[in-house]
Amino acid sequence: MTARNFVNLHVLISHSPSCLNRDDMNMQKTAVFGGRTRVRISSQSLKRAMRTSPYYHSTLGVPSVRTRDLGLLTERFVERLKDRYDADLIAQALALMSGKEGIATGEDADAVAPWSVDEVAYFCELIRAGETDAKQIEKRILKEAAPFRAAMSKALDIALSGRMATSGLMTHLPVDGALAIAHAITTHAVEPQDVDWFTAVDDLTQDAGETGAGHLNTQQFSAGVFYRYASLNLRQLQLNLGLIPTIDAPETPASRARALEIARHALHLLATVVPDAKQQSFAAHNLADFVIASLADQPVSLANAFEQPVERDKKLSGYLQPSIDQLASYWSRVNRAYGLNEQARAFALPEGIQLGDRPALDTLTELENWITRDGQD
C-alpha cells in the first residue's frame, strides 16, 4: 500500500481583540468570502511569525537570512563563519552563488531571497578545493543535487517554503516549497470592524498645567475565530532535504520518518504561533482551540465549511463551538462524499468533541506524536 503523501492541517484559533495583520493603509487585512467580509491574516505573515519564533529556533534550527542586500549579507555571514573561512572566501562564495560581482560593496540582488549559512559554507569548501568555475559547479549540481540540497536545507524554512532565484548558480536548482499555507480568515462575518480612538498624554506638559493629549489617533481592531489551513507534501520535503534523489524515487523508512518529524513541528507552529503586530497594545497571545491533522493522498482545504458564515450559538453566545462543530461535520461529509479515506485525528480544548466516530485527543502533544507514528494509534 502506498503511503499517504500529504499532511493536511486544519486549525481553529479564537483571537481576542487584536489587529494582527495590516495593509498599507494601516487597516486590518480582510477578504470577502461567501459574500461577507472576513478578517484575514496573510500566509506571508503567518510564515514569517513561524520561522522567527523561539519554538522554530529551538526545534528546527537557525532559519535562512532573507535579503536583497548582498553587501549586508556578506557582513552577516562573515560574522557567522569567521572561525572557518576568511572574508574574501565568503564573498567569493556568495558571488559564485548569486552571479553578482562586487557584492561586498552592497550591490543588490534582483529580489529578496533566502540564503542559508550552510550552503555558503558548502561553496566555500568547493572553492577551497580549487573548484571556482561556475559552469563546472553547475554540472556537478545538476548531476548530483543531493549534497547541495542537504547543505541548503539545513535552513529548513527554504525546504518548507521554497526558493526561486533569477541569477547565479541558484537558478539551476530552484526549490519548490513543500509546505503550502493559506491566508487565515474568520469563520464568521466581521463587519464593521471596531475602531479604537486612543490618546497619549504628554507628562511634561501636563505637569506644566496644560490639559489635553499630546497625541491622538485611531486603530482598527476586531475579535474572531480564525481558520488556518496548511498542507505539507512529504515527498517534496524529502527531495528538498536531499533524502531522495528525485521526486518519484522511493522513500525510505528513515527519510519518511524525518519528514514526519518536521510535520509534527509544523503542526505545533501552526497551532501556537501568532503574528506580533500590535501585540504590545492587544496581547492576543491565543492558542488553538481545535486542530485536525490528516494523512491524505491529496491536499484538501476545509475552508468551504465556512463559505456560509457561522452564526453565533444563542445558548453559548459565541462563534467557537459552532465553528468546531461545522469544521468536524464538514470533514466527515467531504471524506464520505469523495471516498478520501484520510487517516485523521483531532485535538480539542473543549470537552466532548468528536471527529467522525473518534473522540478528540486531550493534548496537542498526543496529536503531534500521532503524526510521527505515521497515523498509527
Side-chain angles (χ1 to χ4, degrees):
M1 176 175 157
T2 303
R4 293 173 173 87
N5 185 50
F6 292 90
V7 177
N8 288 316
L9 304 173
H10 313 276
V11 175
L12 292 177
I13 297 183
S14 179
H15 279 302
S16 52
S18 55
C19 184
L20 295 172
N21 198 198
R22 293 168 285 167
D23 62 19
D24 59 340
M25 300 297 290
N26 202 38
M27 307 289 281
Q28 285 191 122
K29 288 188 176 180
T30 59
V32 175
F33 185 53
R36 302 291 296 278
T37 299
R38 319 298 179 94
V39 175
R40 173 173 63 93
I41 302 173
S42 72
S43 58
Q44 298 95 321
S45 176
L46 288 172
K47 285 188 282 189
R48 177 168 176 78
M50 290 165 64
R51 73 171 179 268
T52 59
S53 68
Y55 180 88
Y56 183 104
H57 281 256
S58 65
T59 58
L60 298 177
V62 179
S64 66
V65 177
R66 293 172 184 245
T67 186
R68 60 177 302 180
D69 191 325
L70 298 182
L72 291 177
L73 183 69
T74 302
E75 294 177 11
R76 173 74 65 88
F77 284 155
V78 166
E79 180 61 29
R80 290 188 178 183
L81 296 168
K82 61 185 179 183
D83 294 336
R84 298 161 61 185
Y85 311 108
D86 62 45
D88 289 342
L89 181 57
I90 294 169
Q92 190 177 354
L94 283 168
L96 187 64
M97 294 166 63
S98 65
K100 298 286 183 177
E101 298 297 331
I103 60 173
T105 65
E107 181 182 339
D108 286 347
D110 296 321
V112 173
W115 302 77
S116 163
V117 66
D118 289 287
E119 67 179 334
V120 174
Y122 173 83
F123 279 97
C124 283
E125 289 296 334
L126 289 183
I127 295 170
R128 181 180 278 176
E131 298 190 41
T132 58
D133 183 85
K135 291 293 184 182
Q136 291 301 317
I137 296 175
E138 175 188 330
K139 290 180 181 179
R140 170 198 279 245
I141 290 174
L142 293 176
K143 183 179 180 180
E144 178 53 62
F148 173 75
R149 287 188 181 274
M152 171 273 298
S153 63
K154 288 182 181 178
L156 280 172
D157 61 302
I158 299 179
L160 290 170
S161 297
R163 179 175 66 189
M164 181 184 70
T166 57
S167 62
L169 284 171
M170 292 189 300
T171 60
H172 303 291
L173 194 64
V175 181
D176 293 329
L179 180 66
I181 299 182
H183 291 234
I185 59 171
T186 53
T187 63
H188 50 89
V190 183
E191 46 186 353
Q193 288 83 53
D194 295 309
V195 176
D196 179 30
W197 187 85
F198 63 91
T199 64
V201 174
D202 187 322
D203 292 335
L204 297 184
T205 58
Q206 187 180 56
D207 291 346
E210 294 184 21
T211 60
H215 172 79
L216 60 88
N217 209 331
T218 59
Q219 178 62 63
Q220 194 179 50
F221 70 97
S222 65
V225 177
F226 286 79
Y227 169 66
R228 298 181 179 183
Y229 167 67
S231 180
L232 180 62
N233 184 327
L234 295 173
R235 185 172 289 278
Q236 183 69 54
L237 180 58
Q238 292 170 73
L239 175 66
N240 292 352
L241 295 173
L243 300 176
I244 56 176
T246 61
I247 192 67
D248 56 354
E251 59 185 354
T252 68
S255 68
R256 184 173 177 86
R258 175 58 177 150
L260 290 170
E261 179 65 23
I262 294 171
R264 72 132 355 120
H265 295 307
L267 165 63
H268 188 97
L269 288 163
L270 198 68
T272 62
V273 172
V274 182
D276 60 7
K278 303 296 288 187
Q279 287 288 36
Q280 295 304 107
S281 301
F282 290 103
H285 301 292
N286 308 110
L287 302 174
D289 300 279
F290 183 62
V291 181
I292 297 174
S294 70
L295 290 157
D297 295 323
Q298 66 186 76
V300 178
S301 167
L302 301 180
N304 283 343
F306 309 112
E307 194 273 343
Q308 180 175 333
V310 168
E311 299 293 336
R312 283 194 309 113
D313 186 297
K314 294 181 179 179
K315 293 181 180 179
L316 300 176
S317 299
Y319 291 107
L320 178 58
Q321 188 63 49
S323 295
I324 292 174
D325 294 341
Q326 201 152 307
L327 185 62
S329 174
Y330 188 78
W331 177 87
S332 295
R333 295 198 307 274
V334 167
N335 269 262
R336 182 172 59 252
Y338 288 94
L340 299 181
N341 194 31
E342 292 184 337
Q343 289 176 269
R345 291 302 305 266
F347 151 73
L349 278 180
E351 296 181 348
I353 304 298
Q354 295 217 157
L355 183 67
D357 58 357
R358 308 189 74 181
L361 299 169
D362 293 327
T363 69
L364 185 66
T365 299
E366 290 178 88
L367 187 57
E368 293 172 20
N369 291 338
W370 178 85
I371 288 178
T372 60
R373 293 195 301 269
D374 211 352
Q376 301 301 310
D377 292 320

